[in-house]
Each structure stands twice: as structure tokens, then as C-alpha cells.
Amino acid sequence: MERWKKWSLSATTAAVAVLVVFYADPGPRPEYVAEPEVTVEADTVPNPPRAYGIPLSGFVLESFKMPQGSTFSEVLGEHGFNAAQVDSLVQASKAVYNVRNLRAGHPMALIFTDDGAREPHYLVYESDPVEHVIFDLRPPYGARLGRKPVHTEERDVHCVVQGALYNDMSGAGGDAQLALQLAEVFAWTVDFQRIQKGDQFTVTYMERSVEGRPFGQPIVIAARYESGGVVKDAYRFRKSDGEIAYFDAEGNSLRKAFLKAPLKFSRVSSGFSSRRLHPVQKRFKAHLGTDYAAPYGTPILAVGDGVVEQAGYGAGNGNYVKVRHNGTYSTQYLHMRKILVKQGQRVQQGQVIGEVGSTGLATGPHVCFRFWKNGVQVDHRREEFPSAEPVPTADRERFHGERDRYAVRLSQVRERQLAAF
Ligand SMILES: [Zn+2]
């Protein structure tokens, strides 16, 4: 459970400041309860506390979460704002932030004067751990966006695979989430279902935090996978066009592009749609694939390297094949006249895996092509795939410099770790 700070600070004279700090659980909004006051000399008070860039001297900050089923008006109504005032605030803020985007459960804070009037000055809403909106609750009202500083730190970890990479990573002192990130980075070059005990990963990664709390996923900067004498490196690199991608030591992309379609010459006869009139069933239903019409017997190609996960017959699908390309992507090919591969078989990009037919629920010869990303069916024609191009010539020198620096670092981390055993 996160804990939120609650501050109260009041300067009674120039010489004496009273600082009260305590912690309250989020959830039901805590009532303000004064703790015993701590009196200190002003010159021993470092910087007065601030929150969201606002100095809290003379203010009280009350933290809560946007309540479920509540509205902006209701939140403000609880603090004495009438409908006209809320409307003025909404109007004055709308160029900066639309209050309809407020979501339940997000942290909020009300900042009011630390006196008998308890006059609300600011309402803060955290859109995410970094960004927030500060509403000015005093006429003429208004809002501005703010960002908390994100602290980044480069860390290293070396791990020898014993069992689940997730556990091995955290056992070696790294972020367990790195297991997922590595599976993405090496998706096309390492089969994560076949990692062996004794294989090694060395990783330099970036950890981000906001106010001391980890934020977002760790980012792999450089990684080395070693298995039975085979070494595979990955380097994160920002090209001069701004795109960030992972490359091997030679500067080749760690991604491979898919074929645009499973047929050499093809015509889309029905696109991906969440609602279309089914040609056989004559009712509206989602079509989570793309139909390519072609004559009977036209070769159907695997759009990428992979393993045949399913090859069989279904009443709707007819003869079909499903190929798992990596931990992220799978593709399926339906209504085949003939299946030319077997379950468990490895296939190469462009390999013929079947022939166009109209088995199952089909009105004519076509292949229904389905595309999964992380287990969800998506329209592959709308997906943005990471570039599979190598490091551009103009960026080569800079890439080599970064690669050399991190390659040395990975070797040192690995040696240090192995020497420790
Ligand atoms: Zn279809």
C-alpha cells in the first residue's frame, strides 16, 4: 500500500516555525488530526516542504483518491463549492484539462489554508505517477499541468538461469520485471520457452523512480545472453530520426519484419472489423481477421519464422494452421484446402504451409488471416511494427561508440559476478 504524506506547516513568527508531519493511509479520506507540535528554530528548518511544486508554508495538504462513481462537481461540492463556482472552474480549465478525464482511484490532493478558514486554494489530480493537474480554486480560477521529476539510474545484473527467469533475476538482485523486458528484446532471436539451466543473462538497465517509488518498467539498455558458447547481444540505440530500437553487436535489428500478407498476390476481400454481416450466417458479428481472396490451391505462406502451434480442422475455421512466432506474436490461417505442415514443426518466413480453399464457414476460396499480439487479436494492417532495418550508415559511428562502452560494461559485470562465486 502506498502511503501519502500529509503536511502542515505554519510560521507563527519569523523566528519560529511549527512543522507537523504525519502519514495517513489513502482510501477513505483521513480526517485531519493534529499531531503533537514540534517547535524548531527557523534557521534549522531546511527548505520548507513543497508538494507538486507548491510551497506548503501556511497550508495543509489533504490526500485522497478520486472516489468511485463520483464527479469533479461532487468532489468540490464536499468542500463547499456551488454549481456556479464549479462551472467557472471547469470553463477556465478546459483549455488545459478536461475534467471528464478524471478517473476513479487516482491520487488527488486538496491544499487549503492552515487556519480557521481552511480556505481551499488548490486541487491536484495525478493523471499518472509523473503528470498532474493543479486546479486553482480561487477566482478567476484556472489550471496548469505539472510534472514530478523522474529520477533515473543505470543498474547492472548478471544471472545464471536456474529455473524461472523471473525468480532468477530477482534472486540475482535485479528487477524481476526484467524477465519480461528481455523476452521482448530477444523475442526474435532467443526462444524463451527453450532457455536452459546454466544459460546466462547480463543486463544493464535503467530504473526510473518518482519520489523514491519505482515508476514504470525497467528499460533494458544493453543485454547479453549466453547459452552453450553462443553469445547474443542487444543494444538499445536512438537513431537520428528519433526511433529507438534494439540492435545486435553488428548493428542489425533484433526484429524481423512480417510479410505484409500470407499470399504472394492478394486482394483483401473483407477487412478486420468489430462488426460485419457474416456472409454465411447472415448476422452481424465481429470479424477478427482479414480475408484474402485467391483461387483454390494458391500457396499460403507463413508471414514470419515460428513454430506450428496448431494444425487441424474446426467446424468454423475449416482446415487451419496457427503459428507462434515468439512470445508476442502468433498468426492463424483458415479455410485451407490442404494443410502442408504438422503441429510442432518449425517454419521459416515465406514457407508454404497450406493451400487456399473454402473449408469451414466460407462462401468461396480465400484465406482468413488472424493475427495475435500478446494474446489479443489485432488488425495487423493497423499495427505499427518496430523497424527491422539495421543501424543507418549515418548513425554507425555513434552506435559503435555506445556499443563498445556497454559491451565492456557487460563483460565487467559478468566477470565481477562470476568471480564472487
Ligand atoms: Zn475471415
Side-chain angles (χ1 to χ4, degrees), residues 227-241:
S227 174
V230 177
V231 179
K232 286 173 177 172
D233 280 5
Y235 300 95
R236 183 178 189 264
F237 180 70
R238 185 192 291 272
K239 298 188 289 178
S240 39
D241 67 5

Side-chain angles (χ1 to χ4, degrees), residues 1-4 23-30 63:
M1 251 296 138
E2 277 178 318
R3 301 178 77 90
W4 293 90
Y23 295 86
D25 268 322
R29 186 151 43 76
S63 294

Side-chain angles (χ1 to χ4, degrees), residues 100-314:
R100 286 186 186 186
N101 293 334
L102 265 61
R103 294 287 172 268
H106 282 238
M108 296 185 80
L110 194 73
I111 297 171
F112 51 85
T113 56
D114 188 20
D115 54 22
R118 289 169 69 89
E119 188 199 330
H121 277 219
Y122 303 103
L123 178 69
V124 184
Y125 170 79
E126 296 191 17
S127 342
D128 64 35
V130 177
E131 295 196 2
H132 52 264
V133 199
I134 301 171
F135 296 98
D136 192 330
L137 304 178
R138 295 157 303 166
Y141 305 106
R144 61 189 160 87
L145 298 176
R147 281 180 69 84
K148 290 182 187 172
V150 178
H151 177 75
T152 61
E153 194 178 342
E154 279 191 10
R155 303 189 57 179
D156 307 286
V157 64
H158 170 83
C159 115
V160 180
V161 176
Q162 304 292 335
L165 187 56
Y166 196 83
N167 294 331
D168 294 336
M169 264 301 160
S170 59
D175 188 326
Q177 310 256 41
L178 275 175
L180 291 170
Q181 304 303 312
L182 288 168
E184 284 253 311
V185 170
F186 285 115
W188 299 92
T189 45
V190 175
D191 187 342
F192 273 69
Q193 292 189 338
R194 296 184 184 197
I195 286 176
Q196 308 274 322
K197 191 173 173 183
D199 288 357
Q200 296 173 35
F201 282 98
T202 315
V203 191
T204 296
Y205 64 102
M206 196 198 297
E207 197 175 66
R208 291 167 295 169
S209 58
V210 175
E211 294 178 337
R213 284 188 290 261
F215 162 67
Q217 299 278 329
I219 297 171
V220 174
I221 298 171
R224 179 168 295 162
Y225 169 68
E226 293 166 78
S227 174
V230 177
V231 179
K232 286 173 177 172
D233 280 5
Y235 300 95
R236 183 178 189 264
F237 180 70
R238 185 192 291 272
K239 298 188 289 178
S240 39
D241 67 5
E243 193 198 8
I244 295 171
Y246 288 91
F247 299 94
D248 66 15
E250 280 73 50
N252 295 313
S253 172
L254 285 183
R255 300 274 164 181
K256 291 198 183 77
F258 286 114
L259 298 180
K260 293 260 182 292
L263 303 175
K264 252 188 195 134
F265 302 100
S266 61
R267 172 175 71 82
V268 173
S269 50
S270 181
F272 187 100
S273 154
S274 53
R275 194 170 182 273
R276 74 151 184 184
L277 183 64
H278 194 278
V280 176
Q281 297 174 317
K282 304 292 182 204
R283 60 187 174 91
F284 283 97
K285 57 186 283 192
H287 182 232
L288 304 179
T290 305
D291 290 345
Y292 293 93
Y296 282 104
T298 304
I300 298 171
L301 318 174
V303 295
D305 294 0
V307 177
V308 176
E309 203 173 55
Q310 296 167 0
Y313 181 85

Side-chain angles (χ1 to χ4, degrees), residues 363-419:
T363 49
H366 77 283
V367 55
C368 182
F369 176 64
R370 300 185 165 190
F371 195 97
W372 276 263
K373 181 183 183 184
N374 296 320
V376 178
Q377 284 185 269
V378 296
D379 185 351
H380 72 288
R381 293 186 301 158
R382 286 174 181 267
E383 280 296 305
E384 282 221 21
F385 296 106
S387 159
E389 298 294 311
V391 173
T393 317
D395 287 338
R396 284 269 158 173
E397 207 178 311
R398 191 164 54 87
F399 172 75
H400 289 154
E402 289 188 23
R403 175 202 63 189
D404 292 349
R405 191 154 54 86
Y406 282 109
V408 168
R409 181 164 169 166
L410 289 175
S411 300
Q412 287 170 343
V413 169
R414 180 182 180 278
E415 258 139 57
R416 214 166 39 230
Q417 196 61 37
L418 292 176

Side-chain angles (χ1 to χ4, degrees), residues 19-76:
L19 174 63
V20 180
V21 181
F22 72 98
Y23 295 86
D25 268 322
R29 186 151 43 76
E31 286 304 309
Y32 178 77
V33 182
E35 290 240 314
E37 291 185 342
V38 181
T39 307
V40 284
E41 294 297 319
D43 61 2
T44 65
V45 176
N47 296 314
R50 299 169 75 89
Y52 308 104
I54 302 167
L56 291 183
S57 179
F59 289 97
V60 174
L61 182 149
E62 193 175 271
S63 294
F64 58 101
K65 295 204 171 175
M66 181 67 191
Q68 191 76 44
S70 193
T71 63
F72 189 62
S73 311
E74 284 162 4
V75 168
L76 286 167

